[in-house]
Amino acid sequence: MDIHFFKRFMRPLRGEVRAPAIAMLGALAAHPELGLNARTWGRVLSLKSLFAGRRLRFGFSPHDSAVLEELRLGGFEQAEPLAALWEWLLSEVGPLRIEIVHEDEDPQVLALFAELLADPSVGAASVHLRSGVPRQQRTLSWPLSVVAVPSERRHLQGLGAGSLLGKAPALWSPLEGNAAGHILVVPADVCFVPGAPGHEAGALPASAIAIAFLPEGNSAAVAMALGLKLRYRLDTGAVLVVRAPLKRREEFWFSLMAALGKGVPFDEAARLATQTGRAPFLLSSWTFLDGTTLPLREEVDVARRLLEYVAPLRTRFDLMDLQVPEFLARMLGWEQKEWTAPELATALQQRLSQPGYKLPPGAGAALSQLRRAVRTAEKTLDVALSHNLQTPPPWAMQQQPAQKPPGRHLQANILSTEGPKPEQELGALLAGQTYQLEIHIGEVRSGSRFVRRPFPEASLPPSPDGHTLTVVYSDESTSQQAPPQARHIVLGSKGDSTRCAFSVTIPGAAQGALAARDFSARITVLHRNRVLQTARLSAPVVMTREARSDMGRGVKQEVEFPSLSLDEPLEERTPFDAALVIQEDASGGAHAMVVEDDDIHWFDIDHPDLKESIHQIRARLELLTQAEARPTSLEDARLVKLLVALANQGSLFWRAAVSRPGVGRSLLRGRRIQILETTVGSFIPVEFFYDLPAPHPSARLCPNAQLALETGECDHTSHQDEEEAEAFVCPAGFWGLTRVLERQRASSMQRAGGVGLRVMPRRERRTIPLLLRGLVGASHRVDLNDATSMDRVRRTLETLWPARTTEVKEWKQWARAIQRDAPSLLVLLVHTDQEEGTDVQTIEIASDALGVSRLHERHVKKLNSADGVLVLLMGCSPLLPTVKFQNVVNQFLWAGQGSAVVVSSMADMLGRHAGPTTAAMLAGLEAMVRQGEVNVGDAFIRLRRTLLSRGDPLMLGLAVYGDVDWYLDAPTSLGGNINADTGDAAGGVR
């Protein structure tokens, strides 16, 4: 029975019962006294004594093939009862140690079984393969002797270097001579042909256990084949093949030593040590494994030594990025992996002081990792400070070549004003106290609180006088946010910038609350209305001074989004007339901060009302986008009625946000606006802002509407008189048709607020070629009501760019095509739904649905490529899902790593409309780039106006996310004409 037989056999099984059902079926087959026949399955209930000691055989013989084939052809109706029987067996016996005894030693088949049985749903304590005859048993004892090549030395010596007990669990010895060791680390260049380069397997020293490491990317079949070769060629009792990245090697060793130190059998220890990676492959025998248990290590003094070690960490607020080893976190029951040093010290003290709590056996090896984690954090800090804290002697400075000056960082220091002179506050803040927040950009010095990423100063235009930057401080700690405050600093060519200061009053606890809310604020630095860097400043708040000493956290600064790339001059980027920063406060209310050069404005929008308004706008749009027949001209009465309704909604938004006292001309009349959605899911429909007088319900279309869509402006006399203006609705009143709006959105995969100016290549490489290669995917629902919908898109693409686009029918093919062809245009006409079993949103092409949680970089662009990608994401409104962080647009932006421009709609559309609209958009884009390159912002505002002038209501709800400074162009060899069937007129896009 080969691999194809078993894959074909398992294909009908549902995911949740697949592994347990196969585990039970293989156990029945490997125990002939039970039999595979369905009538005898119930006998296992009375024969559980067969599995005493939690040992169970698994495997099939060629004689079972007929029964298995019968089950497959019958739809495998017994899968659920088998899975239930397996669960019952686990509940009666506990996690099982499983031995695979399959008669055919095909590596692919054995690897398939091993990975299947290692699945968490099976709940196995260990999985190993019976392979080869039992070898001579070598008694294991502490410390373990590990024989390895020198390159493995640093991983192994770390076991002793960080030991809290002063006694290493393992000692390293080099791979030379014939000295036998407890463990042999198989060299990466092992060979099996005498005389071939590398270490010949037959000449390697004897050992109790041989461990081979392979890169994580190796297939299961390759790893299993290596294990089988080693098992037959080495003088060893067991072979373990581990697939893991090099950076996880040390974690594997610590985890293995910790598990063995608990007295866990080797097969179970191997599974524990690799449970966070890909399934390990262990080849051995019961005879060997039953005799390899090591005695418990003496660790009674670990808790005292640990407390002594972490005590000084309570005041180390400078160590902000401690990564607690995963095994240690799991042992102590912690979900959090990243801590500050004071947080860690406090948490450990609380855990170890709990009544009756004792560190489990094996803790010494795991806690050694902690010391190494602290050392790693200290080295990271030393590197950051090295340029500024170490002054070389004059003679060294004379001999060394000139070096690039150290980077300067955004720094915010909270100063206590209680004493005679201000003192920096590093720990918890006191409720009701007023502090001074001092901000500057400069070199890092001892005691500085600074943003880890350097400020992107190299991207500023050259200036001998330096640059005046706007610093905006906004407090986000309370549900009633105070208006933001703005100050200016001057950043010269070297040294520290000037300083600015803000007064910060920490509120007390809300009425009825036992504790105060943590302090949280945003610091935004801008130049010419472009956000260069934002940071979040946070700190715990305590009610009394005495409580400060018990608080393990302190003042913390974190960068919110990647800064400009340092080879990208800012003068090459689009200047904005204003920036609109949208966020939510602690209670979920929506707020927006408007930045216009030196002026900062703040406005609130009640969150429930905002959500309802967006719902009303979307419902109005869908009256046409989901109608059987959509308008074919701008004068269509249904489209005019829609414009009137949206104009009234948009007029109220415009009044709330823009038509306010103090708002300057930059926002009122500006034509380029940057919109930053700093909270996951925050959205204000800026495209529908309407700055002409709101029309009466019976208003007519402006007589100048067609010309207004050509030019983007309307000066018709009907708009001059307020009373007369109510009689007309004009497309030139909508911001989405008259302004370039650069929307940037927080990634759902990062902390909210991770938006702003993204890393971009230089101008000469900032192009998206239409079209070197394109990729198309469409839900089968697109053609449900009109079988020609997708045909229009296909004909358009083939006419415009013959033989340059590929259509795929499933997501695996899609990802492979991305990596193979690196397409610059992705066209998706999707259906969105909710995935049964996970409840996450899905997007569908053909009949294949992909959960947004499984959408990755490989689905958007070629890995590690900086080339731009244009994504047309049309269909069932992927822009505004019910669950905000499941937003499909968000996922595409995150996966695009800053190089994707995503165009989508806030309204659902029928396939009969999505197809023609997409075809017309593609034709319009091609007509533009055929005349010369055009940036994304200008391209899509022209495209929206042109297609709306032909009656397409979908253009009203279109939104463009990503950097508008990407340029669309076409290779000069491309050309073509559009026939009437695509829906594009001869004139192209104006």
Side-chain angles (χ1 to χ4, degrees), residues 145-423:
S145 172
V146 183
V147 180
V149 295
S151 60
E152 291 290 331
R153 182 172 182 173
R154 64 186 181 90
H155 300 295
L156 300 168
Q157 285 189 325
L159 294 171
S163 176
L164 290 170
L165 298 176
K167 182 187 293 185
L171 300 176
W172 174 84
S173 59
L175 180 63
E176 58 186 25
N178 294 317
H182 294 128
I183 296 177
L184 166 69
V185 180
V186 178
D189 63 347
V190 63
C191 66
F192 301 92
V193 179
H199 289 80
E200 185 181 337
L204 291 175
S207 64
I209 299 162
I211 300 179
F213 290 96
L214 286 178
E216 193 174 25
N218 277 266
S219 69
V222 168
M224 183 59 70
L226 175 62
L228 290 168
K229 289 180 182 178
L230 293 172
R231 183 72 180 96
Y232 290 121
R233 297 296 297 274
L234 297 181
D235 183 8
T236 186
V239 170
L240 177 66
V241 181
V242 179
R243 290 176 293 164
L246 188 63
K247 63 182 180 181
R248 300 292 293 273
R249 189 81 56 83
E250 197 167 87
E251 181 182 343
F252 165 81
W253 282 113
F254 273 112
S255 300
L256 181 66
M257 295 300 114
L260 292 174
K262 296 179 183 179
V264 173
F266 179 77
D267 55 325
E268 295 189 45
R271 178 134 167 74
L272 288 171
T274 52
Q275 68 176 6
T276 57
R278 306 188 70 175
F281 296 138
L282 175 62
L283 298 89
S284 187
S285 64
W286 283 126
T287 304
F288 176 82
L289 293 176
D290 284 349
T292 56
T293 302
L294 283 152
L296 296 178
R297 296 191 70 209
E298 294 294 332
E299 297 178 336
V300 295
D301 207 26
V302 170
R304 180 183 64 80
R305 288 175 178 267
L306 179 61
L307 288 174
E308 291 176 355
Y309 178 70
V310 301
L313 297 181
R314 291 179 62 84
T315 57
R316 292 292 304 275
F317 290 99
D318 54 334
L319 295 180
M320 306 297 290
D321 301 314
L322 271 173
Q323 293 289 336
V324 175
E326 188 165 348
F327 184 85
L328 175 60
R330 189 166 61 246
M331 185 182 70
L332 296 174
W334 292 342
E335 293 184 4
Q336 182 177 338
K337 303 296 190 302
E338 185 174 303
W339 304 70
T340 65
E343 286 175 339
L344 180 63
T346 301
L348 275 170
Q349 186 177 48
Q350 291 175 347
R351 175 56 55 90
L352 296 176
S353 62
Q354 288 178 353
Y357 180 81
K358 293 182 179 179
L359 284 170
L367 295 176
S368 297
Q369 292 178 281
L370 176 60
R371 176 172 285 177
R372 295 179 61 81
V374 173
R375 289 177 180 172
T376 301
E378 289 175 333
K379 288 179 181 177
T380 302
L381 182 64
D382 289 343
V383 170
L385 298 175
S386 60
H387 293 294
N388 309 100
L389 301 184
Q390 298 176 9
T391 304
W395 60 265
M397 297 180 64
Q398 293 173 2
Q399 294 181 3
Q400 293 178 354
Q403 295 182 351
K404 183 179 177 181
R408 294 183 285 184
H409 298 251
L410 178 63
Q411 302 178 45
N413 295 311
I414 296 180
L415 306 177
S416 172
T417 58
E418 289 183 290
K421 63 177 183 178
E423 293 186 2

Side-chain angles (χ1 to χ4, degrees), residues 64 71 140 169 312 359 468 486:
D64 300 322
L71 288 172
L140 301 182
L359 284 170
T468 299

Side-chain angles (χ1 to χ4, degrees), residues 663-933:
V663 171
R665 184 177 179 81
S666 297
L667 186 62
L668 283 168
R669 297 289 175 250
R671 286 296 181 263
R672 304 185 82 87
I673 312 294
Q674 187 183 42
I675 305 166
L676 310 180
E677 298 174 4
T678 65
T679 309
V680 172
S682 57
F683 181 84
I684 292 179
V686 179
E687 287 80 1
F688 295 98
F689 282 14
Y690 189 80
D691 57 12
L692 293 174
H696 189 273
S698 60
R700 305 188 306 276
L701 186 67
C702 172
N704 210 25
Q706 285 288 355
L707 180 61
L709 287 174
E710 289 183 17
T711 64
E713 297 179 350
C714 185
D715 56 2
H716 195 271
T717 56
S718 62
H719 303 313
Q720 309 305 317
D721 180 84
E722 186 172 326
E723 185 174 345
E724 184 182 359
E726 292 183 358
F728 298 97
V729 61
C730 184
F734 291 100
W735 277 29
L737 299 171
T738 57
R739 289 159 171 80
V740 172
L741 304 174
E742 178 181 278
R743 280 191 178 271
Q744 300 281 9
R745 186 172 251 191
S747 167
S748 61
M749 308 300 286
Q750 300 171 347
R751 179 178 285 102
V755 299
L757 191 61
R758 298 175 184 273
V759 177
M760 289 280 282
R762 293 185 66 87
R763 172 67 184 85
E764 58 269 19
R765 294 191 59 243
R766 201 162 59 241
T767 58
I768 301 176
L770 294 180
L771 180 74
L772 289 178
R773 293 294 302 175
L775 190 59
V776 182
S779 169
H780 71 285
R781 300 168 189 262
V782 172
D783 288 339
L784 282 182
N785 300 106
D786 184 349
T788 67
S789 297
M790 267 308 294
D791 283 340
R792 297 192 185 192
V793 177
R794 296 183 186 105
R795 283 197 297 270
T796 299
L797 289 168
E798 186 57 30
T799 303
L800 293 173
W801 302 292
R804 292 181 181 269
T805 57
T806 303
E807 184 176 357
V808 298
K809 301 295 186 181
E810 61 179 33
W811 284 107
K812 287 184 179 179
Q813 294 176 357
W814 176 278
R816 285 195 290 267
I818 294 279
Q819 301 311 306
R820 181 186 66 241
D821 301 329
S824 56
L825 174 65
L826 308 182
V827 180
L828 282 159
L829 281 77
V830 299
H831 171 72
T832 58
D833 209 334
Q834 194 173 53
E835 187 172 61
E836 184 179 353
T838 67
D839 297 327
V840 303
Q841 190 174 19
T842 62
I843 45 178
E844 178 185 78
I845 58 175
S847 297
D848 187 21
L850 175 72
V852 294
S853 56
R854 299 187 296 281
L855 193 150
H856 297 288
E857 182 182 357
R858 65 179 182 273
H859 294 105
V860 181
K861 66 171 196 169
K862 191 167 184 177
L863 298 178
N864 302 318
S865 170
D867 295 336
V869 180
L870 176 63
V871 183
L872 299 185
L873 188 60
M874 313 300 286
C876 296
S877 183
L879 180 58
L880 297 173
T882 304
V883 182
K884 292 179 182 179
F885 69 85
Q886 295 182 10
N887 189 290
V888 179
V889 173
N890 268 23
Q891 305 306 314
F892 271 91
L893 289 171
W894 168 77
Q897 303 291 307
S899 62
V901 175
V902 183
V903 181
S904 190
S905 172
M906 63 181 291
D908 287 346
M909 60 189 81
L910 294 179
R912 71 183 71 170
H913 303 325
T917 290
T918 303
M921 289 173 66
L922 291 167
L925 290 172
E926 194 272 348
M928 273 188 280
V929 299
R930 191 166 47 192
Q931 301 171 21
E933 65 178 17

